[in-house]
């Protein structure tokens, strides 16, 4: 009798361990990590609330210089996949520690294959080596549509039973991206070649998409030198530009000095807002109002 009871206890323990492993695996499949807020919006557009989304860079923090909190490593350890933008400074500096926090987590660069803006691109054998990549790809509706396909494929692999639903949501989101692109193009068609000045060069892809020219005070992630500041002031004066755009995540002091030099003003924009479509429409109208 004692032997039978012992066997039953052992069997129960094995079953419990098996169920725990299954539960842990299921839990991991329900958590994904993203770097910035707009990515959270893209995942939700495709999967609704099917996934718990772990955001690495919180609102108000600079993606170029953010430092991970120890508590965030726990959330990373529960994630099945990390959707990287690909070239944000934070992603490079913290990549190793993030991977160490969860060696089983898949890392996906959603910028791969895009037509990137870079300081230097060189062919090395069968691949291209790129330096100084501008990471702000999420501010182009055309590129977001391409990135959304990568997100769709990964989420569908995590939950194959929901793949059909995700595909339908993705197709709706693609139509939204297409309509947004058409609307912005129509709004800006009469402003082709117009110049604008920003502190941080976050609107490079947006400017390229809609025929505008962006000039920035910050270069290579560094604060402007007196020489560069003077060059941009001269551009502003020759073009009659009276506005500098800045994000809340950056120090306003250099922008204030610049605005004083040109007798202009500072206008705050928010490229990292989660209301992605609405935000692009708002920024477009702000630019038009100040051309």
């Amino acid at each position: 009798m004692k032997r039978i009871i012992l066997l039953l206890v052992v069997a129960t323990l094995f079953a419990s361990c098996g169920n725990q492993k299954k539960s842990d695996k299921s839990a991991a499949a329900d958590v994904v990590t993203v770097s910035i807020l707009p990515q959270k919006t893209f995942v939700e557009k495709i999967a609704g609330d099917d996934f718990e989304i772990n955001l690495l860079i919180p609102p108000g923090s600079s993606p170029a210089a953010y430092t991970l909190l120890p508590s965030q490593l726990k959330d990373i350890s529960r994630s099945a996949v990390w959707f990287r933008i690909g070239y944000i400074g934070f992603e490079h500096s913290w990549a190793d520690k993030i991977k160490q926090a969860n060696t089983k987590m898949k890392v996906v660069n959603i910028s791969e294959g895009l037509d990137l803006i870079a300081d230097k691109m060189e062919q090395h054998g069968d691949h291209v080596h790129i330096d100084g990549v501008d990471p702000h790809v999420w501010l182009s509706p055309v590129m977001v549509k391409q990135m959304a396909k990568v997100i769709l494929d990964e989420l569908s692999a995590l939950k194959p039973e929901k793949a059909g639903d995700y595909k339908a949501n993705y197709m709706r989101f693609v139509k939204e991206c297409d309509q947004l692109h058409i609307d912005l193009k129509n709004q800006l068609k009469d402003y082709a070649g117009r110049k604008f000045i920003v502190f941080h060069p976050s609107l490079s892809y947006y400017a390229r998409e809609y025929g505008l020219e962006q000039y920035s005070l910050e270069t290579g992630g560094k604060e402007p030198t007196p020489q560069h500041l003077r060059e941009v002031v001269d551009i502003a004066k020759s073009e009659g530009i009276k506005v500098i755009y800045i994000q809340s995540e950056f120090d306003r002091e250099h922008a204030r000095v610049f605005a004083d030099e040109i007798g202009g003003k500072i206008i705050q924009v928010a490229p990292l807002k989660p209301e992605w479509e609405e935000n692009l429409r708002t920024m477009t109208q702000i630019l038009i109002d100040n051309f």
Side-chain angles (χ1 to χ4, degrees):
M1 186 67 181
K2 289 181 179 179
R3 186 177 179 184
I4 293 173
I5 292 173
L6 180 60
L7 288 171
L8 287 172
V9 170
V10 171
T12 301
L13 287 172
F14 273 113
S16 174
C17 290
N19 288 336
Q20 182 63 45
K21 287 179 181 177
K22 185 176 180 181
S23 174
D24 290 345
K25 186 176 179 181
S26 176
D30 290 336
V31 183
V32 299
T33 290
V34 298
S35 295
I36 59 172
L37 268 171
Q39 288 176 290
K40 183 175 185 290
T41 299
F42 304 153
V43 172
E44 290 171 341
K45 282 284 186 179
I46 294 169
D49 58 1
D50 278 3
F51 293 88
E52 178 184 336
I53 303 172
N54 174 39
L55 174 68
L56 292 183
I57 303 171
S61 299
S62 169
Y66 182 68
T67 298
L68 268 184
L69 300 174
S71 59
Q72 290 181 286
L73 295 175
K74 181 180 178 181
D75 292 326
I76 291 168
S77 71
R78 299 167 50 236
S79 295
V81 62
W82 171 27
F83 291 114
R84 290 181 51 158
I85 284 294
Y87 299 95
I88 292 175
F90 160 85
E91 293 177 331
H92 285 289
S93 58
W94 283 87
D96 290 341
K97 287 192 176 180
I98 291 172
K99 290 174 185 176
Q100 288 169 10
N102 186 348
T103 57
K104 295 181 180 178
M105 178 178 67
K106 186 174 183 180
V107 180
V108 178
N109 175 3
I110 64 174
S111 293
E112 189 152 350
L114 298 182
D115 181 15
L116 299 170
I117 295 172
D119 292 338
K120 185 168 63 175
M121 304 184 75
E122 295 178 351
Q123 187 74 38
H124 287 267
D126 61 350
H127 68 281
V128 177
H129 181 73
I130 50 180
D131 284 320
V133 177
D134 189 313
H136 305 91
V137 289
W138 68 92
L139 295 171
S140 158
V142 173
M143 290 194 165
V144 167
K145 186 169 69 169
Q146 294 173 261
M147 292 188 287
K149 179 59 168 62
V150 177
I151 295 172
L152 167 68
D153 291 343
E154 295 297 333
L155 298 184
S156 297
L158 290 175
K159 289 183 180 287
E161 71 279 7
K162 299 296 292 288
D165 293 336
Y166 297 163
K167 181 66 178 293
N169 293 340
Y170 160 77
M171 294 306 297
R172 279 192 289 272
F173 185 41
V174 163
K175 289 181 180 178
E176 291 172 13
C177 291
D178 286 340
Q179 188 59 55
L180 175 61
H181 177 56
I182 290 169
D183 292 346
L184 299 187
K185 202 166 186 177
N186 286 336
Q187 278 184 273
L188 291 163
K189 65 183 179 182
D190 294 333
Y191 301 94
R194 296 296 290 268
K195 299 175 177 63
F196 65 95
I197 296 171
V198 295
F199 177 79
H200 178 71
S202 57
L203 296 175
S204 307
Y205 293 96
Y206 173 92
R208 183 177 71 178
E209 207 74 73
Y210 302 111
L212 306 175
E213 289 188 48
Q214 171 189 262
Y215 291 88
S216 67
L217 291 191
E218 187 187 81
T219 57
K222 298 177 181 178
E223 293 182 345
T225 62
Q227 179 183 352
H228 181 65
L229 183 63
R230 173 50 53 193
E231 289 172 356
V232 183
V233 165
D234 290 344
I235 291 170
K237 289 181 176 179
S238 66
E239 296 289 335
I241 297 172
K242 295 293 184 180
V243 171
I244 179 169
Y245 300 97
I246 190 170
Q247 296 170 232
S248 61
E249 297 86 7
F250 294 92
D251 186 356
R252 294 172 66 94
E253 181 57 25
H254 286 294
R256 184 193 62 76
V257 170
F258 178 83
D260 289 345
E261 281 285 328
I262 65 171
K265 60 183 177 179
I266 299 171
I267 293 180
Q268 188 168 298
V269 292
L272 291 167
K273 266 191 173 183
E275 300 85 8
W276 173 74
E277 178 180 344
E278 177 188 337
N279 191 39
L280 273 176
R281 292 186 186 279
T282 298
M283 287 197 296
T284 298
Q285 192 57 55
I286 289 172
L287 283 170
I288 289 172
D289 289 345
N290 289 280
F291 276 146

